[in-house]
């Protein structure tokens, strides 16, 4: 059984639905824990629980009651900075309350295309699994914001995994600013990850393959091809893609950030995004919420 967790409000509910449906196709058996950041999201999943049999909903109030220091930090940061602060607090809560042997936390705007078992198999030898940006050469200057991103990571419920999470939580509660602090080497919840390989030698697996962690900032490095109904990279199935920055403006127009990330678009990449766009629109119809507003676009 694979255990996943994510969090979002009604503005990302369509992406959460697409994520869940992609897990149904590729990752069974699994559980998806959803931290609902507003009542709309919580009510939607609970009222439609027959459609989301493998989702466990958690209210923000529930997490804040469990972690009072997290809740206290709410008073001294922007909403998006508070969401960053949640990143280590949610997996700690899930590992402690549900006594899971592991938890994979991931962004809601990820979609799976192939079975991720190979990524979880690294837990046999490692306690912490993290995702590097793998920036394309045009974007290497962005490494100052962090070599790794908080889009997909797995923590084993052991000494190293819990130690890493608790230290990360302390750091984020202390400072989770939505701006780069090059002196203190801090940026949101992200730049702290650069230290993990040093702090936990032999316990951290970096996902340096070409099938996972693909996103606009690194897709130039990988020859994505569509083979029938499947997308492949270097002759192997694409495991998951991170659609960060994707935003539907109307039924005919969407933005994908390709200009910002200097993406060299290909026919296969266009088809990947077109498919995701169609899935998002279907999910919007299901949730009856289309007026999505993004707080921020970030790495």
């Amino acid at each position: 059984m694979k255990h996943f967790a994510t969090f979002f409000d009604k503005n990302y509910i369509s992406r959460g639905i697409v994520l869940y449906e992609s897990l149904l196709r590729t990752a069974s058996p699994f559980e998806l824990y959803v931290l609902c950041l507003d009542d709309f999201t919580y009510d939607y999943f609970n009222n439609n629980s027959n459609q989301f049999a493998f989702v466990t909903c958690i209210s923000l109030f529930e997490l804040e009651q469990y972690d009072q220091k997290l809740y206290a930090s709410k008073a001294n940061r922007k909403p998006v900075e508070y969401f960053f602060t949640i990143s280590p607090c949610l997996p700690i809560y899930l590992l402690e309350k549900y006594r899971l042997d592991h938890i994979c936390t991931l962004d809601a705007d990820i979609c799976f295309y192939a079975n991720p078992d190979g990524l979880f198999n690294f837990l046999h030898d490692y306690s912490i699994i993290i995702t590097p940006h793998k920036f394309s050469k045009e974007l290497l200057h962005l490494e100052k914001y962090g070599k790794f991103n908080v889009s997909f990571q797995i923590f084993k419920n052991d000494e190293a995994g819990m130690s890493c999470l608790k230290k990360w939580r302390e750091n984020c509660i202390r400072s989770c600013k939505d701006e780069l602090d090059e002196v203190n080497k801090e940026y949101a919840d992200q730049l702290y990850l650069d230290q993990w390989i040093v702090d936990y030698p032999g316990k951290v697996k970096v996902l340096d393959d070409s099938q996972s962690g693909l996103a606009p900032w690194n897709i130039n490095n990988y020859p994505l091809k569509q083979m029938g109904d499947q997308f492949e990279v270097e002759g192997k199935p694409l495991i998951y893609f991170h659609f960060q920055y994707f935003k539907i403006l109307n039924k005919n127009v969407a933005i994908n950030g390709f200009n910002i990330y200097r993406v060299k678009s290909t026919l296969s990449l266009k088809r990947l995004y077109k498919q995701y766009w169609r899935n998002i629109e279907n999910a919007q119809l299901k949730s009856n919420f289309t007026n999505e507003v993004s707080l921020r676009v970030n790495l």
Side-chain angles (χ1 to χ4, degrees), residues 43-70:
D43 292 341
Y44 172 76
F45 280 103
N46 278 294
N47 292 339
N48 296 278
S49 58
N50 59 318
Q51 299 178 39
F52 303 101
F54 307 110
V55 168
T56 298
C57 286
I58 300 161
S59 69
L60 182 57
F61 175 78
E62 183 180 339
L63 178 64
E64 291 174 337
Q65 287 294 106
Y66 187 85
D67 192 334
Q68 290 293 309
K69 287 187 177 180
L70 166 67

Side-chain angles (χ1 to χ4, degrees), residues 24-39:
L24 279 177
R25 293 190 298 270
T26 64
S28 294
F30 74 95
E31 293 178 313
L32 177 62
Y33 294 87
V34 176
L35 174 65
C36 304
L37 300 178
D38 55 27
D39 291 339

Side-chain angles (χ1 to χ4, degrees), residues 47-111:
N47 292 339
N48 296 278
S49 58
N50 59 318
Q51 299 178 39
F52 303 101
F54 307 110
V55 168
T56 298
C57 286
I58 300 161
S59 69
L60 182 57
F61 175 78
E62 183 180 339
L63 178 64
E64 291 174 337
Q65 287 294 106
Y66 187 85
D67 192 334
Q68 290 293 309
K69 287 187 177 180
L70 166 67
Y71 179 64
S73 74
K74 201 172 189 176
N76 60 31
R77 55 201 65 193
K78 304 172 187 175
V80 71
E81 292 173 339
Y82 187 59
F83 295 160
F84 293 151
T85 310
I86 288 172
S87 293
C89 301
L90 176 60
I92 291 173
Y93 171 69
L94 294 174
L95 290 174
E96 291 182 342
K97 177 176 180 178
Y98 294 95
R99 298 182 180 179
L100 307 176
D101 57 4
H102 71 271
I103 189 67
C104 172
T105 56
L106 69 172
D107 284 353
D109 52 356
I110 279 176
C111 186

Side-chain angles (χ1 to χ4, degrees), residues 120 132 269 278 290:
F120 285 81
L269 189 59
R278 183 170 60 249
T290 58

Side-chain angles (χ1 to χ4, degrees), residues 31-294:
E31 293 178 313
L32 177 62
Y33 294 87
V34 176
L35 174 65
C36 304
L37 300 178
D38 55 27
D39 291 339
F40 183 96
T41 305
Y42 188 84
D43 292 341
Y44 172 76
F45 280 103
N46 278 294
N47 292 339
N48 296 278
S49 58
N50 59 318
Q51 299 178 39
F52 303 101
F54 307 110
V55 168
T56 298
C57 286
I58 300 161
S59 69
L60 182 57
F61 175 78
E62 183 180 339
L63 178 64
E64 291 174 337
Q65 287 294 106
Y66 187 85
D67 192 334
Q68 290 293 309
K69 287 187 177 180
L70 166 67
Y71 179 64
S73 74
K74 201 172 189 176
N76 60 31
R77 55 201 65 193
K78 304 172 187 175
V80 71
E81 292 173 339
Y82 187 59
F83 295 160
F84 293 151
T85 310
I86 288 172
S87 293
C89 301
L90 176 60
I92 291 173
Y93 171 69
L94 294 174
L95 290 174
E96 291 182 342
K97 177 176 180 178
Y98 294 95
R99 298 182 180 179
L100 307 176
D101 57 4
H102 71 271
I103 189 67
C104 172
T105 56
L106 69 172
D107 284 353
D109 52 356
I110 279 176
C111 186
F112 285 84
Y113 295 90
N115 193 313
D117 278 357
L119 307 181
F120 285 81
N121 287 341
F122 288 121
L123 291 174
H124 296 307
D125 300 309
Y126 300 92
S127 299
I128 304 155
I129 300 171
I130 56 176
T131 303
H133 276 111
K134 298 183 276 194
F135 285 121
S136 59
K137 63 182 181 180
E138 299 89 347
L139 301 174
L140 289 175
H141 63 282
L142 295 178
E143 282 194 349
K144 64 183 179 181
Y145 292 95
K147 295 178 181 179
F148 306 95
N149 64 79
V150 186
S151 63
F152 180 102
Q153 44 281 315
I154 311 176
F155 301 93
K156 189 187 291 186
N157 194 353
D158 63 7
E159 183 178 356
M162 289 303 296
S163 173
C164 178
L165 277 169
K166 289 179 179 180
K167 186 173 182 179
W168 188 24
R169 171 184 171 274
E170 290 174 3
N171 288 334
C172 288
I173 287 176
R174 175 180 50 80
S175 177
C176 220
K177 293 181 180 179
D178 187 22
E179 58 189 38
L180 178 62
D181 182 344
E182 295 192 63
V183 175
N184 295 307
K185 297 183 179 180
E186 295 175 354
Y187 174 66
D189 55 352
Q190 179 172 285
L191 199 45
Y192 297 119
L193 277 64
D194 282 14
Q195 186 65 27
W196 290 1
I197 295 177
V198 177
D199 291 343
Y200 303 96
K203 298 293 185 180
V204 180
K205 170 60 183 176
V206 176
L207 295 177
D208 54 1
D209 60 273
S210 58
Q211 285 74 51
S212 65
L214 270 62
W217 50 79
N218 61 37
I219 191 60
N220 286 348
N221 296 333
Y222 305 104
L224 181 71
K225 293 183 179 180
Q226 185 177 18
M227 305 297 290
D229 296 332
Q230 184 171 273
F231 291 93
E232 294 184 353
V233 184
E234 298 178 345
K236 298 179 181 180
L238 169 68
I239 298 175
Y240 73 83
F241 194 92
H242 185 188
F243 290 89
Q244 197 270 344
Y245 212 113
F246 182 78
K247 172 70 176 176
I248 298 174
L249 302 182
N250 58 54
K251 65 178 182 179
N252 297 312
V253 180
I255 56 176
N256 52 28
F258 283 11
N259 59 327
I260 293 175
Y261 295 116
R262 306 180 192 178
V263 174
K264 300 171 184 175
S265 187
T266 65
L267 179 60
S268 292
L269 189 59
K270 289 178 181 177
R271 288 174 174 171
L272 183 81
Y273 270 79
K274 185 177 180 180
Q275 184 184 101
Y276 187 68
W277 185 346
R278 183 170 60 249
N279 292 340
I280 290 293
E281 288 182 328
N282 290 337
Q284 288 176 337
L285 291 174
K286 290 179 182 179
S287 65
N288 196 30
F289 186 81
T290 58
N291 187 29
E292 300 176 347
V293 178
S294 178

